[in-house]
Amino acid sequence: MPVVKLLEDFHPDIVTVAFDPEGTGPDTHYKVLQVVSQAIRMYQGPEGGGEEAHSTYQSKLTVWGYRNVWFRFHMVEATVMVPVNDAGLDEMNDAFLTCFSTQKAASFPAPDYDGPFSHWSEVSQRAQRQQLGVVLGEDFFKRHADSKVRESTGYVFLKEMSRETFGKTAAHLRGRIESSSERV
């Protein structure tokens, strides 16, 4: 109910949630995904129900799934690709190290990296920019009309979902998790 209350108070157009494949992220990511899915379902209510303005907010709600530092979207899975530049990557690192000072050293580092999560995220975002450069060609970036694309040194890959698609995906994952725990 606290998440439903937040949705009712703020009427967001976009809700973001860690959207990691089963077994790749911390258990908390799975639990939060399920809580957010249930809250969105409860917030939506029956179609056409509630006050007209509230109904308008409900129809606009979109979910952006992001990956944690341990798992990345492949570019064909991503539906939103956000360009970032060196200054943005520096700001991300500074914000992370300031806000999450207890996580400067990873408790469970990647096999080929031991350091702050934000630096590993930066490596991933730069690699995603390189992948796009190979697929689209560097001329795509050099000649692009948008300066943010021209100046990009990294990309954040996201998966945009309607509230219905997100709810079905969360329910499917919950079913897989519950059926595998029953077999154990």
Side-chain angles (χ1 to χ4, degrees):
M1 287 312 296
V3 178
V4 175
K5 174 101 172 82
L6 286 170
L7 293 171
E8 290 171 345
D9 289 349
F10 292 98
H11 306 293
D13 292 331
I14 299 170
V15 173
T16 61
V17 64
F19 195 71
D20 301 321
E22 179 184 345
T24 61
D27 194 36
T28 52
H29 288 193
Y30 168 75
K31 291 175 182 174
V32 169
L33 181 139
Q34 293 301 329
V35 166
V36 170
S37 174
Q38 181 72 358
I40 288 172
R41 187 184 67 73
M42 293 171 69
Y43 169 66
Q44 297 307 318
E47 287 298 316
E51 33 185 283
E52 188 175 315
H54 190 67
S55 163
T56 301
Y57 285 117
Q58 292 171 351
S59 65
K60 294 191 314 184
L61 185 67
T62 300
V63 178
W64 280 2
Y66 63 89
R67 297 289 199 208
N68 72 29
V69 294
W70 308 121
F71 195 86
R72 303 176 201 161
F73 279 117
H74 187 278
M75 73 176 76
V76 299
E77 296 175 290
T79 58
V80 176
M81 298 176 180
V82 181
V84 292
N85 60 22
D86 287 332
L89 291 168
D90 288 343
E91 289 173 14
M92 173 195 60
N93 281 312
D94 290 346
F96 180 87
L97 295 173
T98 300
C99 296
F100 302 102
S101 59
T102 60
Q103 296 183 22
K104 286 181 183 177
S107 301
F108 303 99
D112 52 353
Y113 181 77
D114 185 12
F117 291 142
S118 60
H119 292 171
W120 183 244
S121 183
E122 177 182 348
V123 168
S124 298
Q125 292 172 30
R126 288 184 186 279
Q128 290 170 169
R129 166 57 179 85
Q130 286 180 324
Q131 291 170 353
L132 288 171
V134 169
V135 171
L136 299 172
E138 288 301 325
D139 276 353
F140 172 84
F141 294 94
K142 289 177 187 170
R143 300 178 194 279
H144 202 280
D146 188 334
S147 63
K148 291 178 183 170
V149 173
R150 285 194 310 272
E151 298 165 6
S152 65
T153 55
Y155 268 80
V156 176
F157 288 178
L158 305 167
K159 182 171 184 73
E160 183 175 85
M161 296 164 276
S162 67
R163 63 182 192 272
E164 293 84 7
T165 300
F166 174 66
K168 287 177 185 175
T169 304
H172 176 73
L173 180 58
R174 185 177 59 247
R176 286 180 33 204
I177 295 288
E178 289 173 3
S179 70
S180 68
S181 67
E182 289 171 3
R183 285 181 271 175
V184 174

mmCIF file of all heavy atoms in Angstrom, residues 90-112:
data_model
loop_
_atom_site.group_PDB
_atom_site.id
_atom_site.type_symbol
_atom_site.label_atom_id
_atom_site.label_comp_id
_atom_site.label_asym_id
_atom_site.label_seq_id
_atom_site.Cartn_x
_atom_site.Cartn_y
_atom_site.Cartn_z
ATOM 1 N N ASP A 90 30.745 11.158 -15.305
ATOM 2 C CA ASP A 90 31.428 11.683 -14.112
ATOM 3 C C ASP A 90 30.418 12.034 -13.020
ATOM 4 O O ASP A 90 30.634 11.740 -11.837
ATOM 5 C CB ASP A 90 32.261 12.923 -14.457
ATOM 6 C CG ASP A 90 33.507 12.595 -15.274
ATOM 7 O OD1 ASP A 90 33.911 11.401 -15.310
ATOM 8 O OD2 ASP A 90 34.066 13.532 -15.882
ATOM 9 N N GLU A 91 29.315 12.663 -13.412
ATOM 10 C CA GLU A 91 28.268 13.018 -12.444
ATOM 11 C C GLU A 91 27.672 11.765 -11.808
ATOM 12 O O GLU A 91 27.405 11.744 -10.603
ATOM 13 C CB GLU A 91 27.173 13.842 -13.114
ATOM 14 C CG GLU A 91 27.590 15.239 -13.470
ATOM 15 C CD GLU A 91 26.543 15.985 -14.279
ATOM 16 O OE1 GLU A 91 25.383 15.525 -14.355
ATOM 17 O OE2 GLU A 91 26.884 17.043 -14.834
ATOM 18 N N MET A 92 27.457 10.725 -12.606
ATOM 19 C CA MET A 92 26.917 9.473 -12.075
ATOM 20 C C MET A 92 27.875 8.888 -11.032
ATOM 21 O O MET A 92 27.455 8.487 -9.946
ATOM 22 C CB MET A 92 26.700 8.449 -13.194
ATOM 23 C CG MET A 92 26.293 7.071 -12.664
ATOM 24 S SD MET A 92 26.419 5.714 -13.844
ATOM 25 C CE MET A 92 28.148 5.712 -14.258
ATOM 26 N N ASN A 93 29.172 8.861 -11.360
ATOM 27 C CA ASN A 93 30.150 8.326 -10.417
ATOM 28 C C ASN A 93 30.184 9.151 -9.134
ATOM 29 O O ASN A 93 30.189 8.589 -8.033
ATOM 30 C CB ASN A 93 31.547 8.281 -11.057
ATOM 31 C CG ASN A 93 31.720 7.112 -11.985
ATOM 32 O OD1 ASN A 93 31.399 5.984 -11.634
ATOM 33 N ND2 ASN A 93 32.221 7.363 -13.179
ATOM 34 N N ASP A 94 30.202 10.470 -9.272
ATOM 35 C CA ASP A 94 30.228 11.340 -8.090
ATOM 36 C C ASP A 94 28.979 11.136 -7.234
ATOM 37 O O ASP A 94 29.067 11.037 -6.005
ATOM 38 C CB ASP A 94 30.332 12.813 -8.489
ATOM 39 C CG ASP A 94 31.694 13.177 -9.062
ATOM 40 O OD1 ASP A 94 32.643 12.374 -8.917
ATOM 41 O OD2 ASP A 94 31.800 14.262 -9.671
ATOM 42 N N ALA A 95 27.810 11.090 -7.872
ATOM 43 C CA ALA A 95 26.558 10.905 -7.131
ATOM 44 C C ALA A 95 26.550 9.557 -6.413
ATOM 45 O O ALA A 95 26.170 9.471 -5.244
ATOM 46 C CB ALA A 95 25.358 11.016 -8.072
ATOM 47 N N PHE A 96 26.981 8.507 -7.102
ATOM 48 C CA PHE A 96 26.995 7.186 -6.492
ATOM 49 C C PHE A 96 27.930 7.156 -5.285
ATOM 50 O O PHE A 96 27.556 6.679 -4.213
ATOM 51 C CB PHE A 96 27.428 6.117 -7.508
ATOM 52 C CG PHE A 96 27.461 4.734 -6.915
ATOM 53 C CD1 PHE A 96 26.310 3.956 -6.893
ATOM 54 C CD2 PHE A 96 28.622 4.217 -6.357
ATOM 55 C CE1 PHE A 96 26.323 2.691 -6.321
ATOM 56 C CE2 PHE A 96 28.640 2.954 -5.788
ATOM 57 C CZ PHE A 96 27.482 2.183 -5.775
ATOM 58 N N LEU A 97 29.144 7.654 -5.459
ATOM 59 C CA LEU A 97 30.118 7.601 -4.374
ATOM 60 C C LEU A 97 29.718 8.482 -3.203
ATOM 61 O O LEU A 97 30.064 8.194 -2.057
ATOM 62 C CB LEU A 97 31.507 7.977 -4.904
ATOM 63 C CG LEU A 97 32.073 6.989 -5.932
ATOM 64 C CD1 LEU A 97 33.373 7.513 -6.532
ATOM 65 C CD2 LEU A 97 32.281 5.603 -5.336
ATOM 66 N N THR A 98 28.953 9.543 -3.460
ATOM 67 C CA THR A 98 28.469 10.410 -2.391
ATOM 68 C C THR A 98 27.266 9.793 -1.678
ATOM 69 O O THR A 98 27.206 9.768 -0.450
ATOM 70 C CB THR A 98 28.080 11.797 -2.951
ATOM 71 O OG1 THR A 98 29.236 12.383 -3.549
ATOM 72 C CG2 THR A 98 27.542 12.701 -1.854
ATOM 73 N N CYS A 99 26.321 9.285 -2.446
ATOM 74 C CA CYS A 99 25.069 8.782 -1.870
ATOM 75 C C CYS A 99 25.176 7.364 -1.320
ATOM 76 O O CYS A 99 24.438 6.995 -0.414
ATOM 77 C CB CYS A 99 23.959 8.827 -2.911
ATOM 78 S SG CYS A 99 23.567 10.498 -3.450
ATOM 79 N N PHE A 100 26.054 6.568 -1.885
ATOM 80 C CA PHE A 100 26.166 5.169 -1.488
ATOM 81 C C PHE A 100 27.585 4.869 -1.028
ATOM 82 O O PHE A 100 28.239 3.938 -1.508
ATOM 83 C CB PHE A 100 25.768 4.247 -2.648
ATOM 84 C CG PHE A 100 24.374 4.482 -3.148
ATOM 85 C CD1 PHE A 100 24.148 5.190 -4.313
ATOM 86 C CD2 PHE A 100 23.277 4.023 -2.428
ATOM 87 C CE1 PHE A 100 22.859 5.420 -4.770
ATOM 88 C CE2 PHE A 100 21.986 4.243 -2.875
ATOM 89 C CZ PHE A 100 21.782 4.947 -4.046
ATOM 90 N N SER A 101 28.061 5.651 -0.092
ATOM 91 C CA SER A 101 29.455 5.528 0.351
ATOM 92 C C SER A 101 29.776 4.147 0.914
ATOM 93 O O SER A 101 30.913 3.696 0.842
ATOM 94 C CB SER A 101 29.785 6.612 1.376
ATOM 95 O OG SER A 101 28.929 6.499 2.496
ATOM 96 N N THR A 102 28.765 3.450 1.442
ATOM 97 C CA THR A 102 29.020 2.109 1.989
ATOM 98 C C THR A 102 29.205 1.074 0.890
ATOM 99 O O THR A 102 29.621 -0.053 1.167
ATOM 100 C CB THR A 102 27.858 1.653 2.898
ATOM 101 O OG1 THR A 102 26.655 1.614 2.120
ATOM 102 C CG2 THR A 102 27.702 2.584 4.087
ATOM 103 N N GLN A 103 28.889 1.433 -0.357
ATOM 104 C CA GLN A 103 29.010 0.482 -1.461
ATOM 105 C C GLN A 103 30.180 0.814 -2.388
ATOM 106 O O GLN A 103 30.209 0.380 -3.534
ATOM 107 C CB GLN A 103 27.705 0.433 -2.250
ATOM 108 C CG GLN A 103 26.562 -0.082 -1.424
ATOM 109 C CD GLN A 103 25.287 -0.202 -2.253
ATOM 110 O OE1 GLN A 103 25.314 -0.298 -3.454
ATOM 111 N NE2 GLN A 103 24.158 -0.206 -1.575
ATOM 112 N N LYS A 104 31.142 1.582 -1.892
ATOM 113 C CA LYS A 104 32.313 1.906 -2.719
ATOM 114 C C LYS A 104 33.068 0.641 -3.095
ATOM 115 O O LYS A 104 33.594 0.529 -4.194
ATOM 116 C CB LYS A 104 33.244 2.879 -1.985
ATOM 117 C CG LYS A 104 32.700 4.285 -1.948
ATOM 118 C CD LYS A 104 33.654 5.223 -1.245
ATOM 119 C CE LYS A 104 33.042 6.610 -1.163
ATOM 120 N NZ LYS A 104 33.872 7.539 -0.430
ATOM 121 N N ALA A 105 33.114 -0.294 -2.182
ATOM 122 C CA ALA A 105 33.748 -1.585 -2.468
ATOM 123 C C ALA A 105 32.625 -2.612 -2.581
ATOM 124 O O ALA A 105 31.816 -2.766 -1.678
ATOM 125 C CB ALA A 105 34.710 -1.973 -1.349
ATOM 126 N N ALA A 106 32.583 -3.307 -3.705
ATOM 127 C CA ALA A 106 31.525 -4.289 -3.937
ATOM 128 C C ALA A 106 31.734 -5.516 -3.060
ATOM 129 O O ALA A 106 32.836 -6.050 -2.977
ATOM 130 C CB ALA A 106 31.512 -4.700 -5.406
ATOM 131 N N SER A 107 30.659 -5.956 -2.395
ATOM 132 C CA SER A 107 30.736 -7.172 -1.592
ATOM 133 C C SER A 107 30.921 -8.403 -2.475
ATOM 134 O O SER A 107 31.568 -9.356 -2.105
ATOM 135 C CB SER A 107 29.457 -7.345 -0.764
ATOM 136 O OG SER A 107 29.274 -6.258 0.078
ATOM 137 N N PHE A 108 30.306 -8.363 -3.652
ATOM 138 C CA PHE A 108 30.388 -9.469 -4.600
ATOM 139 C C PHE A 108 30.783 -8.904 -5.954
ATOM 140 O O PHE A 108 29.940 -8.724 -6.826
ATOM 141 C CB PHE A 108 29.035 -10.190 -4.699
ATOM 142 C CG PHE A 108 28.555 -10.692 -3.372
ATOM 143 C CD1 PHE A 108 27.614 -9.974 -2.648
ATOM 144 C CD2 PHE A 108 29.058 -11.867 -2.837
ATOM 145 C CE1 PHE A 108 27.177 -10.415 -1.414
ATOM 146 C CE2 PHE A 108 28.617 -12.321 -1.603
ATOM 147 C CZ PHE A 108 27.683 -11.597 -0.891
ATOM 148 N N PRO A 109 32.070 -8.603 -6.142
ATOM 149 C CA PRO A 109 32.489 -7.970 -7.386
ATOM 150 C C PRO A 109 32.307 -8.897 -8.591
ATOM 151 O O PRO A 109 32.162 -10.108 -8.436
ATOM 152 C CB PRO A 109 33.965 -7.676 -7.150
ATOM 153 C CG PRO A 109 34.381 -8.643 -6.096
ATOM 154 C CD PRO A 109 33.164 -8.887 -5.244
ATOM 155 N N ALA A 110 32.318 -8.286 -9.754
ATOM 156 C CA ALA A 110 32.242 -9.062 -10.991
ATOM 157 C C ALA A 110 33.530 -9.873 -11.125
ATOM 158 O O ALA A 110 34.571 -9.499 -10.581
ATOM 159 C CB ALA A 110 32.071 -8.119 -12.176
ATOM 160 N N PRO A 111 33.480 -10.972 -11.863
ATOM 161 C CA PRO A 111 34.684 -11.800 -12.018
ATOM 162 C C PRO A 111 35.883 -11.031 -12.561
ATOM 163 O O PRO A 111 37.012 -11.310 -12.186
ATOM 164 C CB PRO A 111 34.255 -12.879 -13.012
ATOM 165 C CG PRO A 111 32.769 -12.901 -12.949
ATOM 166 C CD PRO A 111 32.328 -11.527 -12.564
ATOM 167 N N ASP A 112 35.621 -10.034 -13.402
ATOM 168 C CA ASP A 112 36.735 -9.292 -13.995
ATOM 169 C C ASP A 112 36.815 -7.838 -13.535
ATOM 170 O O ASP A 112 37.449 -7.019 -14.163
ATOM 171 C CB ASP A 112 36.670 -9.374 -15.517
ATOM 172 C CG ASP A 112 35.308 -8.970 -16.075
ATOM 173 O OD1 ASP A 112 34.385 -8.752 -15.275
ATOM 174 O OD2 ASP A 112 35.193 -8.871 -17.297
#
